[in-house]
Amino acid sequence: MKIKTVQQILPPPPSHMVGDGFRVHNFFPGGYNMGHDRMSPFILLDYNAKMEFSPRDIPRGVGVHPHRGFETVTFAYHGKVAHHDSRGNRGVIGEGDIQWMTAAAGILHKEYHELEYSKRGGPFQMVQLWINLPAKYKMTEPGYQAIVNRMIPKYEIPDNGGTVEVVAGEYEGIKGIARTFSPMNIYSIRMNESAYLNMSLPTDYNTGILVIEGNVRVNEQDDAPADHFILFRNDGEEFGLYTSSGCVLLLLSGEPIREPVVAYGPFVMNTKEEILQAYQDVNTGKFGKLED
């Protein structure tokens, strides 16, 4: 097998606020001008690096807003986030949990710090990922997957090396829990001190790793510290991960969706006409109702 090599190790871009509850570093598409193709099917990665929020009676967050044409996936590392949407779905995620919302034909939702977390404050660390939908699925029914950590299939790294949580795809014969609309592998990896892990992923899959905590060495030569993103070339299949002190990683690898992408605001479609139709449909109430 040929080695999959590192193209770049990217430090966190300047942060910006999403609503008043999420201070994020946007690694792509805008942070490093990757566009929507370089990490397809993943089209946006917002990372709320670990920070402290002060106590507050009125939860911070993002008010009601629409989406169409893609999926939003939120990973919780510290803190708690509440979700409500116009399809009647609601839930709270805490450390290790995931909210997977398929906007598809159209949905309204809001995301806030969970009330009790907001009242006491504390550390907060989240990732929100946008996953594009192939054209044939963009107008399917919206959906929602509430993924509690204990539900996620796990691979135990030998010699007490840690765990690989198989969120999507497959690893070492263990199939992920999430339903996806195109082929992809998403792993939440926790490696203990002096652990080694081998990965084998298709050459043409766009692949990257966000270092959530600690540090990791790739292929015995490229070192990446916390809050950095490792972007791989599409030049091979296998690579190795080693950590001296332990680390937490989010690995993303997926088959590119080779279709036109027209993204504007909260919509990701294939043509400008579809974007205009999305705005018209929101304005005429076709995305349902949700109170702020």
Side-chain angles (χ1 to χ4, degrees):
M1 294 287 184
K2 192 175 179 183
I3 297 297
K4 187 183 289 289
T5 62
V6 172
Q7 177 180 326
Q8 286 179 283
I9 295 176
L10 305 170
S15 64
H16 66 275
M17 293 299 297
V18 177
D20 64 355
F22 305 92
R23 188 191 70 188
V24 302
H25 305 276
N26 176 248
F27 280 95
F28 58 82
Y32 286 95
N33 297 314
M34 288 191 205
H36 292 105
D37 295 327
R38 181 61 186 88
M39 276 299 294
S40 175
F42 315 108
I43 52 174
L44 178 144
L45 178 61
D46 273 348
Y47 172 49
N48 193 130
K50 189 187 289 186
M51 62 178 293
E52 292 281 330
F53 275 106
S54 59
R56 183 173 173 179
D57 289 334
I58 300 175
R60 301 172 176 90
V62 183
V64 176
H65 58 284
H67 288 305
R68 172 179 279 180
F70 64 101
E71 303 182 281
T72 68
V73 186
T74 304
F75 302 83
Y77 293 94
H78 293 280
K80 290 186 175 182
V81 169
H83 161 97
H84 298 82
D85 67 43
S86 55
R87 291 291 177 131
N89 300 303
R90 59 177 57 217
V92 174
I93 56 170
E95 185 171 337
D97 301 336
I98 300 167
Q99 285 177 343
W100 192 301
M101 185 186 78
T102 303
I107 202 166
L108 304 175
H109 80 143
K110 57 183 179 180
E111 303 158 285
Y112 283 89
H113 294 187
E114 184 267 338
L115 182 59
E116 293 306 314
Y117 164 76
S118 184
K119 287 181 177 180
R120 66 176 180 269
F124 191 83
Q125 188 177 25
M126 300 272 165
V127 170
Q128 186 165 98
L129 178 68
W130 290 13
I131 302 176
N132 197 13
L133 290 173
K136 62 182 178 180
Y137 296 121
K138 283 189 178 293
M139 295 300 290
T140 57
E141 284 293 305
Y144 182 75
Q145 301 176 69
I147 302 174
V148 178
N149 186 263
R150 66 176 180 273
M151 299 163 51
I152 303 173
K154 298 173 177 64
Y155 169 81
E156 299 296 329
I157 303 170
D159 302 319
N160 194 35
T163 58
V164 178
E165 298 179 352
V166 188
V167 179
E170 186 172 338
Y171 183 76
E172 295 292 347
I174 298 174
K175 294 187 177 181
I177 189 171
R179 303 184 302 273
T180 68
F181 290 83
S182 63
M184 68 187 68
N185 297 288
I186 300 177
Y187 309 144
S188 182
I189 302 169
R190 295 177 183 270
M191 298 174 68
N192 297 329
E193 182 178 339
S194 300
Y196 179 84
L197 187 62
N198 186 66
M199 287 287 162
S200 182
L201 298 162
T203 299
D204 66 335
Y205 277 31
N206 292 325
T207 301
I209 295 176
L210 180 62
V211 184
I212 305 294
E213 291 183 10
N215 61 78
V216 68
R217 173 169 287 187
V218 183
N219 294 332
E220 301 182 355
Q221 63 182 24
D222 296 295
D223 293 308
D227 303 335
H228 284 56
F229 186 79
I230 306 165
L231 179 65
F232 287 85
R233 295 186 178 92
N234 299 83
D235 60 353
E237 294 183 8
E238 291 197 354
F239 60 94
L241 302 173
Y242 170 78
T243 179
S244 58
S245 59
C247 62
V248 177
L249 312 172
L250 179 62
L251 182 148
L252 310 172
S253 184
E255 183 178 79
I257 298 174
R258 293 180 172 90
E259 297 174 349
V261 174
V262 179
Y264 193 83
F267 306 126
V268 180
M269 303 301 289
N270 299 105
T271 68
K272 180 180 177 181
E273 290 72 24
E274 290 171 333
I275 295 290
L276 294 173
Q277 185 65 51
Y279 276 101
Q280 181 177 334
D281 289 348
V282 168
N283 292 334
T284 54
K286 292 183 180 179
F287 281 44
K289 294 182 178 179
L290 184 64
E291 296 299 323
D292 223 337

